[in-house]
Amino acid sequence: MVDGLLQVEGGRPLNGEITVRGAKNLVPKAMVAALLGTTPSVLGNVPLIRDVEVVSGLLTLHGVQVDYDQAAGILHLDPSRVEAAHVADIDAHAGSSRIPILFCGPLLHRLGEAFIPDLGGCRIGDRPIDFHLDILRSFGAVVDKLEAGIRLTAPDGLRGTVIELPYPSVGATEQTLLTAVRADGRTELRGAAVEPEIMDLVDVLQKMGAIISVDTDRTIHIEGVEELAGYRHTALPDRIETASWASAALATGGDVFVHGAHQSHMTTFLNIFRKVGGAFDVRDDGIRFYHPGGDLRSIVVETNVHPGFMTDWQQPLVVALTQADGVSIVHETVYENRFGFTKALCKMGAAIQVYRECLGGTACRFGQRNFYHSAVISGPTPLRGADIVVPDLRGGFSHLIAALAAQGTSRVEGINLIDRGYEHFMSKLGSLDAKVTRLA
């Protein structure tokens, strides 16, 4: 059965205006944080994406009253009647989402137990949940692996601890924050991720009554408190979606104004966008991204944790780099298996080679582990329409950009994955004069 099929008539510049709302990498986590409060929370700038639906379902299963005004993008979350959900229900609603692992800390505080099913998610690299479980164990959680999933209990409550991350993992940082804020005593997290979405989650928790400080050396200190209240918060805009539409404008020779985009969250991307030959205008209500004419320029770029070039930015950018003059090098240092999407681009006419070596930058943790984590893109190469299958969320949107830039007709299968992180992407394509038809 085809899981979402889109026909794209390519070779047309994207022109027009779209709006981005709250970040996919923040909104579901802020929703989970509402479990920690004793009073209702209100979250604004919420996009209508699959992850929000999944978390809304899981919260409802656990007794949280969820009211979502989709038009206004406002969520009301009332956790006053939190209760344990049935294992089968959790499994059915979670699907392939990895969000349930972040429910554990809050549920252990509220109920003394938590259950998570087998977890899925985008297949872009090694994301073992054992890392999360080790963090929860360090707080005092008892972990029992069952046939249907994992059950956690906290017979003696959760206690503050010291955690040192070997790598600034976003998920591990979120797990620690959501667990530590109500743990007994102090928690020190060393080597933490400090992405804008993490700092927005810190803002949410502080509004609830948490005591959190962040040092310049990536150390976060959390003083546990006995009780947290609800919050009122407006989510920061999605910088990944913003960069995706910016890259689409560049690859198609178009002009796209992204309402809601913030310059301060996009600094590193904007620098690279300009170096490649793109142009942008920053306004109070958003950013205009456009191709100013002339040849695009090849570059060398390396992904990294914030404030470096975000890993989720590289896939859409690679499509634009196929149209740049010369040889570009992209060194991926965050996820080890993120260049699988380039096979479809090569099928469409791109000249991309992937390598195990660390190219174009310093050696990274994947250099001796036999992973294809560097890409060399030679251009410009004309792209032609083809039948392609979406591999994951960000790779899928990159395939869509390639289809839009290519001459001829493409059929893109599996676009339902894109719904996980891009709100109303079909209507947005229509507003940008794209010629697309959903076939299934």
Side-chain angles (χ1 to χ4, degrees):
M1 181 178 178
V2 175
D3 186 24
L5 181 62
L6 192 68
Q7 181 172 293
V8 180
E9 301 293 334
R12 300 162 56 92
L14 294 185
N15 291 294
E17 301 182 1
I18 56 141
T19 298
V20 296
R21 291 207 279 193
K24 171 187 175 292
N25 286 354
L26 176 276
V27 169
K29 291 64 178 291
M31 293 170 66
V32 174
L35 271 171
L36 292 161
T38 57
T39 56
S41 293
V42 180
L43 182 61
N45 204 26
V46 177
L48 180 60
I49 55 176
R50 175 61 180 158
D51 279 11
V52 169
E53 294 177 3
V54 168
V55 178
S56 294
L58 290 171
L59 287 172
T60 300
L61 283 173
H62 284 97
V64 178
Q65 182 177 331
V66 180
D67 296 305
Y68 182 20
D69 183 337
Q70 296 179 6
I74 297 175
L75 267 173
H76 292 264
L77 306 162
D78 185 352
S80 59
R81 296 183 179 179
V82 170
E83 59 187 27
H86 190 271
V87 169
D89 292 334
I90 297 173
D91 195 31
H93 278 76
S96 63
S97 173
R98 287 180 168 267
I99 291 295
I101 190 68
L102 295 178
F103 274 68
C104 294
L107 287 177
L108 286 169
H109 286 303
R110 291 296 305 269
L111 301 173
E113 64 176 351
F115 176 84
I116 52 174
D118 290 334
L119 299 178
C122 294
R123 305 301 182 185
I124 56 175
D126 187 25
R127 292 177 166 185
I129 66 167
D130 285 346
F131 200 34
H132 287 264
L133 298 179
D134 287 342
I135 289 173
L136 291 162
R137 285 190 185 99
S138 73
F139 282 99
V142 176
V143 178
D144 294 310
K145 295 187 178 181
L146 311 176
E147 185 176 341
I150 299 169
R151 181 173 180 266
L152 297 96
T153 55
D156 299 319
L158 299 179
R159 304 174 302 278
T161 185
V162 176
I163 297 170
E164 186 158 1
L165 301 181
Y167 184 79
S169 162
V170 169
T173 301
E174 292 164 342
Q175 184 72 259
T176 303
L177 286 169
L178 290 168
T179 307
V181 287
R182 284 195 56 192
D184 183 25
R186 296 171 179 263
T187 296
E188 182 177 292
L189 175 62
R190 302 169 185 166
V194 292
E195 272 67 7
E197 296 81 8
I198 292 288
M199 302 313 298
D200 215 36
L201 180 59
V202 169
D203 289 347
V204 167
L205 294 170
Q206 188 179 55
K207 288 178 178 180
M208 300 177 74
I211 302 173
I212 305 172
S213 61
V214 183
D215 295 345
T216 55
D217 64 351
R218 293 184 177 272
T219 299
I220 298 179
H221 302 272
I222 307 105
E223 297 181 30
V225 297
E226 291 186 4
E227 186 176 295
L228 294 172
Y231 63 81
R232 297 187 69 90
H233 188 76
T234 300
L236 83 171
D238 197 311
R239 60 196 177 115
I240 304 173
E241 184 180 359
T242 298
S244 297
W245 291 113
S247 296
L250 193 59
T252 63
D255 188 331
V256 176
F257 184 80
V258 182
H259 289 275
H262 282 187
Q263 179 184 10
S264 60
H265 304 146
M266 304 290 299
T267 302
T268 307
F269 177 84
L270 294 174
N271 288 336
I272 295 297
F273 190 81
R274 179 170 281 161
K275 287 181 180 180
V276 173
F280 60 89
D281 297 328
V282 179
R283 305 177 188 173
D284 290 343
D285 59 340
I287 304 175
R288 174 193 174 203
F289 297 94
Y290 60 100
H291 192 312
D295 295 334
L296 298 182
R297 298 182 289 273
S298 57
I299 58 165
V300 176
V301 64
E302 183 173 82
T303 67
N304 210 333
V305 296
H306 187 77
F309 191 85
M310 192 179 191
T311 178
D312 289 301
W313 290 336
Q314 65 92 343
Q315 290 169 299
L317 181 70
V318 163
V319 182
L321 292 178
T322 67
Q323 305 309 301
D325 184 20
V327 176
S328 296
I329 297 173
V330 179
H331 180 205
E332 172 62 53
T333 75
V334 179
Y335 290 126
E336 66 272 29
N337 289 322
R338 207 150 208 187
F339 284 121
F341 77 101
T342 61
K343 293 179 181 178
L345 300 186
C346 292
K347 180 180 178 181
M348 301 175 78
I352 304 174
Q353 292 179 299
V354 293
Y355 295 88
R356 295 183 178 93
E357 292 77 17
C358 300
L359 301 180
T362 56
C364 77
R365 60 200 175 118
F366 304 138
Q368 304 300 320
R369 295 175 59 189
N370 210 32
F371 295 117
Y372 288 96
H373 69 294
S374 291
V376 176
I377 306 105
S378 301
T381 53
L383 300 179
R384 55 184 180 272
D387 292 347
I388 50 181
V389 179
V390 168
D392 58 68
L393 172 60
R394 306 303 173 189
F397 199 86
S398 300
H399 286 172
L400 181 56
I401 294 173
L404 292 164
Q407 293 296 324
T409 302
S410 296
R411 288 162 62 95
V412 186
E413 180 181 337
I415 62 166
N416 288 351
L417 270 173
I418 299 175
D419 289 325
R420 285 189 53 221
Y422 293 87
E423 180 186 41
H424 303 312
F425 79 93
M426 282 296 294
S427 62
K428 289 178 183 179
L429 287 171
S431 69
L432 297 176
D433 293 330
K435 194 171 182 181
V436 295
T437 305
R438 191 154 192 165
L439 301 179

